[in-house]
Amino acid sequence: MPTLSTLLLTRTDVEALLTPDLCRAAVEQAFQAYGRGEAPPPALLGVPGVGGGFHIKGGLLRRNQHYFAAKVNGNFAGNVAHGLARIQGVVVLADADTGVPLALLDSASITTLRTAAATAVAAQHLANADASVLTLCGCGVQGRAHLIALARVRPIRRVFAFDIDSERAHRFAKSITAELGIAAEAVADLRTAARASAIVVTCTPSPTPLLFEEFLTAGAFVAAVGADSEEKQELDSGLLASVKLVTDVTAQCAAIGDLHHAIRASTLSAADVHAELGEITAGRKPGRRSLDEIFVFDSTGMALQDVAAAAVTYESALQMGRGARVNLSE
């Protein structure tokens, strides 16, 4: 019987192997496969805990081989007080034809990079080509990753940084200007900043709406990233009713995304969604067709993004001889 080993890839490994461009390409291919019906619908399971909870996302995707991946993430707000990251977890990547576990990867870096990559893919199809001013609502790790990813697909030259922690917004803006050479400033007035922006990204754990219809101007593209559970909401339901709404997975957004709150408020229904991003990337439904359209991307995190990001990281690790091997069956 052959000896089977699993590749262990740490956060440092993932960050060294998974570049923004590599991740974006893999994530776009995953959306295209889903939009063409070549990948089955991904699965989602939520398990509440004391002071937080767990979510498990799984999916199947064919790349150079047939992959399955399951991401298990715990989200505990109280971790911060103990010097721990709020989100903890792992991604298990397996051969979908045999079930053999191929790799075990840190999930934090996978999640951050694939989420930003999905927004960049959406921006390629839904943001105006000359969109150069960006408002980031939420100045944490996800905000930084989004700026880096978006700057690869749109000519970002100015950034407004908004955060409930004003000091963090100031630190974020200062570091962005110094490290990336992009003019960035911290702002306290989200409405004014958003109205001056062609792209607005919300990546916060807010339980109440931050962005409203009157905050947006013609031609804007909004990526709503933070609402990935029933308790979170970043966009007012009235805003969703006034725009063209694109989802990653409509059923999932209806259950846990900003769409969920709009449905509960009877502002719109799942049938009112313009398209899933996979349908647009696969050419089955149109993206932006005029300069004045306002698009919102409700991004709850599709499991196929995790499969694609984990798979391409694993393939890169094999090519570069990176990671540690362990035999889990011993």
Side-chain angles (χ1 to χ4, degrees):
M1 194 170 182
T3 300
L4 302 175
S5 63
T6 301
L7 191 62
L8 300 181
L9 296 170
T10 66
R11 187 171 305 179
T12 300
D13 291 325
V14 174
E15 290 175 351
L17 294 164
L18 188 59
T19 66
D21 289 342
L22 189 64
C23 189
R24 185 180 72 252
V27 165
E28 182 162 27
Q29 289 168 8
F31 274 108
Q32 289 171 341
Y34 184 58
R36 291 192 295 260
E38 297 170 358
L44 169 66
L45 173 65
V47 181
V50 178
F54 296 87
H55 72 248
I56 303 166
K57 293 181 176 179
L60 292 159
L61 187 67
R62 189 174 293 279
R63 284 178 50 85
N64 297 326
Q65 67 182 83
H66 200 192
Y67 290 107
F68 166 80
K71 181 173 73 176
V72 182
N73 266 5
N75 191 331
F76 291 83
N79 280 359
V80 178
H82 303 291
L84 297 172
R86 177 179 182 140
I87 296 177
Q88 303 284 333
V90 295
V91 177
V92 179
L93 182 70
D95 184 320
D97 295 324
T98 65
V100 172
L102 302 172
L104 187 67
L105 307 90
D106 167 67
S107 74
S109 43
I110 290 285
T111 300
T112 297
L113 290 165
R114 64 80 153 148
T115 304
T119 295
V121 171
Q124 287 179 294
H125 294 272
L126 305 177
N128 278 314
D130 62 352
S132 61
V133 182
L134 165 68
T135 287
L136 277 174
C137 186
C139 298
V141 172
Q142 197 61 260
R144 179 180 294 272
H146 270 74
L147 172 55
I148 292 171
L150 285 166
R152 308 288 293 183
V153 299
R154 287 297 180 265
I156 305 299
R157 60 174 177 78
R158 190 176 187 187
V159 175
F160 297 117
F162 176 87
D163 197 283
I164 192 170
D165 181 342
S166 60
E167 286 302 315
R168 180 161 65 173
H170 281 282
R171 291 194 302 270
F172 180 88
K174 185 177 180 180
S175 67
I176 289 302
T177 300
E179 296 170 22
L180 303 180
I182 297 175
E185 63 178 290
V187 296
D189 184 350
L190 180 57
R191 181 182 186 277
T192 299
R195 286 190 62 80
S197 300
I199 299 176
V200 180
V201 175
T202 59
C203 44
T204 77
S206 179
T208 55
L210 301 168
L211 211 62
F212 298 84
E213 180 182 354
E214 62 269 22
F215 286 23
L216 304 178
T217 54
F221 164 65
V222 178
V225 177
D228 58 0
S229 70
E230 295 179 9
E231 296 76 26
K232 298 178 184 177
Q233 182 181 9
E234 295 183 305
L235 308 188
D236 179 67
S237 296
L239 183 157
L240 291 186
S242 67
V243 303
K244 282 194 170 180
L245 179 61
V246 174
T247 62
D248 48 11
V249 181
T250 297
Q252 187 170 292
C253 291
I256 62 172
D258 277 296
L259 174 60
H260 162 76
H261 297 283
I263 292 174
R264 289 191 64 185
S266 299
T267 304
L268 74 168
S269 68
D272 296 315
V273 171
H274 170 69
E276 291 185 328
L277 183 58
E279 294 176 306
I280 293 174
T281 60
R284 293 189 167 181
K285 288 191 178 179
R288 179 175 289 276
R289 291 187 289 187
S290 75
L291 295 175
D292 291 338
E293 291 176 301
I294 299 178
F295 276 94
V296 167
F297 176 46
D298 192 358
S299 175
T300 53
M302 180 175 70
L304 296 181
Q305 297 168 231
D306 298 306
V307 185
V312 74
T313 303
Y314 170 71
E315 292 165 0
S316 296
L318 293 182
Q319 293 174 0
M320 300 179 65
R322 185 143 188 167
R325 290 280 182 181
V326 62
N327 185 354
L328 298 176
S329 61
E330 287 184 342

